[in-house]
């Protein structure tokens, strides 16, 4: 049996989605075909890549190591197919939400002025690496720690955190909130592409009830409906205003690192220019 690119794409989709069903939907394939591709890949490499013993699929240690190699291989293949368009093919910049916050528009405008021959495409992709590991984008704006070895990163700036509460909640009238103020009721967590996990809270005040969603839109809707409260980066308040959600400073939460990430192997030819310009834009404001 030979392994084809489709096997790697299926594996990477499962790795990002933690679900065969969601991976199949993203790829436009049937669930059984994705399961067969994953099983064939595991048989070929001779190790189990995905732990299926839990409700949500998780990568094994071997799977995490193989994911980085597979991502590099897929990205290199995709780049090879684009050689006829180099060096002027579009530079795809992914983000899971909020992009670069207040620096987004200045970056896009300056890029257009300074690099008019290379279009910069801003794409929202709802997963933890904003499509970077799967090769859907050439670079990505990521928040929080990045532990994927195949990625190179540049810290652009840090931003404060905010609490998000229903606008008719009594806490919405406060000037600021603390982590303890959010711990009493359910906390809405975006477990697919979000930044916040229960580890944000110290063990002694960790919330006991959570509601999980898959993207920022559903996160906002759940909070506006009064199902729970949330925590996010300050850019969320700037980029995702909602009539039913009030954002307040979260006074005792650590700041959030905002990074530009790209694949260290086979990067887009213009990635270095993007890094330099993003750094310059973030430092000027």
């Amino acid at each position: 049996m030979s392994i084809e690119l489709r096997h790697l794409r299926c594996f990477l989709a499962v790795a990002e989605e933690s679900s065969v069903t969601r991976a199949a939907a993203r790829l436009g394939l049937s669930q059984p075909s994705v399961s067969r591709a994953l099983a064939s890949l595991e048989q070929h490499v001779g190790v189990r890549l995905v732990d299926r013993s839990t409700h949500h699929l998780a990568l094994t240690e071997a799977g995490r190591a193989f994911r980085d190699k597979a991502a590099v291989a897929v990205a290199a293949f995709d780049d090879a197919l684009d050689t006829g368009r180099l060096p002027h093919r579009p530079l795809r910049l992914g983000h899971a939400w909020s992009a670069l916050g207040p620096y987004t528009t200045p970056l896009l405008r300056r890029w257009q002025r300074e690099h008019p021959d290379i279009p910069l495409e801003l794409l929202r992709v709802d997963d933890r690496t904003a499509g970077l590991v799967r090769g859907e984008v050439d670079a990505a704006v990521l928040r929080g720690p990045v532990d994927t070895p195949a990625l190179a990163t540049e810290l652009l700036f840090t931003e404060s955190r905010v609490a998000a509460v229903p606008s008719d909640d009594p806490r919405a009238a406060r000037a600021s909130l603390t982590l303890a103020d959010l711990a009493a009721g359910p906390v809405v967590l975006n477990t697919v592409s979000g930044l916040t996990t229960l580890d944000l809270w110290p063990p002694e005040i960790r919330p006991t009830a959570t509601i999980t969603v898959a993207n920022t839109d559903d996160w906002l809707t759940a909070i506006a409906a009064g199902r729970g409260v949330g925590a996010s980066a300050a850019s969320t308040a700037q980029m995702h205003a909602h009539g039913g959600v009030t954002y307040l400073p979260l006074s005792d939460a650590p700041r959030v690192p905002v990074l530009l990430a790209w694949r260290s192997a086979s990067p887009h030819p213009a990635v270095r220019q993007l890094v330099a310009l993003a750094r310059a834009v973030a430092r000027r404001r």
Side-chain angles (χ1 to χ4, degrees):
M1 180 198 68
S2 62
I3 291 300
E4 302 172 1
L5 192 65
R6 62 184 177 88
H7 294 93
L8 300 182
R9 292 195 189 279
C10 286
F11 167 71
L12 290 174
V14 170
E16 286 294 331
E17 299 290 347
S18 298
S19 164
V20 171
T21 301
R22 290 196 297 270
R26 181 181 290 275
L27 295 171
L29 300 173
S30 67
Q31 183 175 338
S33 66
V34 173
S35 296
R36 287 194 298 270
L38 181 59
S40 297
L41 180 60
E42 289 181 322
Q43 181 181 356
H44 181 81
V45 300
V47 295
R48 183 170 293 279
L49 301 174
V50 176
D51 182 1
R52 301 168 177 81
S53 63
T54 58
H55 180 66
H56 295 290
L57 299 185
L59 296 184
T60 63
E61 182 177 353
R64 290 191 294 272
F66 186 78
R67 175 192 59 190
D68 301 333
K69 297 178 181 178
V72 170
V74 171
F77 178 85
D78 291 340
D79 286 343
L81 293 183
D82 281 336
T83 53
R85 301 168 60 194
L86 293 176
H88 303 309
R89 65 181 174 91
L91 175 58
R92 303 163 299 173
L93 177 60
H95 70 107
W97 85 99
S98 298
L100 282 172
Y103 309 116
T104 304
T105 298
L107 174 68
L108 295 176
R109 287 183 175 273
R110 280 195 57 180
W111 182 272
Q112 186 174 4
R113 291 197 307 268
E114 298 178 19
H115 304 281
D117 56 335
I118 307 175
L120 179 59
E121 299 177 352
L122 186 65
L123 304 173
R124 174 175 159 180
V125 183
D126 288 315
D127 68 51
R128 294 189 188 281
T129 64
L132 188 56
V133 166
R134 291 201 305 269
E136 294 185 14
V137 298
D138 303 298
V141 179
L142 305 180
R143 285 173 169 80
V146 176
D147 57 3
T148 304
L151 301 183
T153 61
E154 172 83 11
L155 176 64
L156 298 177
F157 58 93
T158 65
E159 59 182 344
S160 60
R161 298 192 193 230
V162 294
V165 301
S167 293
D168 59 356
D169 187 293
R171 288 169 289 188
R174 303 260 301 269
S176 65
L177 295 175
T178 66
L179 290 169
D181 292 327
L182 300 181
V187 173
V188 184
L189 301 176
N190 174 359
T191 56
V192 174
S193 59
L195 167 72
T196 302
T197 68
L198 290 179
D199 290 336
L200 179 63
W201 283 263
E204 63 273 14
I205 59 168
R206 189 160 293 167
T208 57
T210 61
I211 296 169
T212 60
V213 297
N215 56 60
T216 299
D217 298 328
D218 292 346
W219 181 79
L220 288 167
T221 298
I223 295 171
R227 298 181 61 202
V229 298
S232 190
S235 289
T236 306
Q238 299 167 335
M239 305 294 285
H240 296 280
H242 192 292
V245 176
T246 296
Y247 296 100
L248 299 165
L250 198 50
S251 61
D252 59 346
R255 294 181 67 84
V256 178
V258 181
L259 307 105
L260 189 63
W262 63 96
R263 293 184 298 274
S264 52
S266 304
H268 186 289
V271 159
R272 289 297 176 185
Q273 293 97 311
L274 178 64
V275 173
L277 186 59
R279 187 168 52 229
V281 169
R283 290 178 179 175
R284 283 191 62 183
R285 288 175 62 95

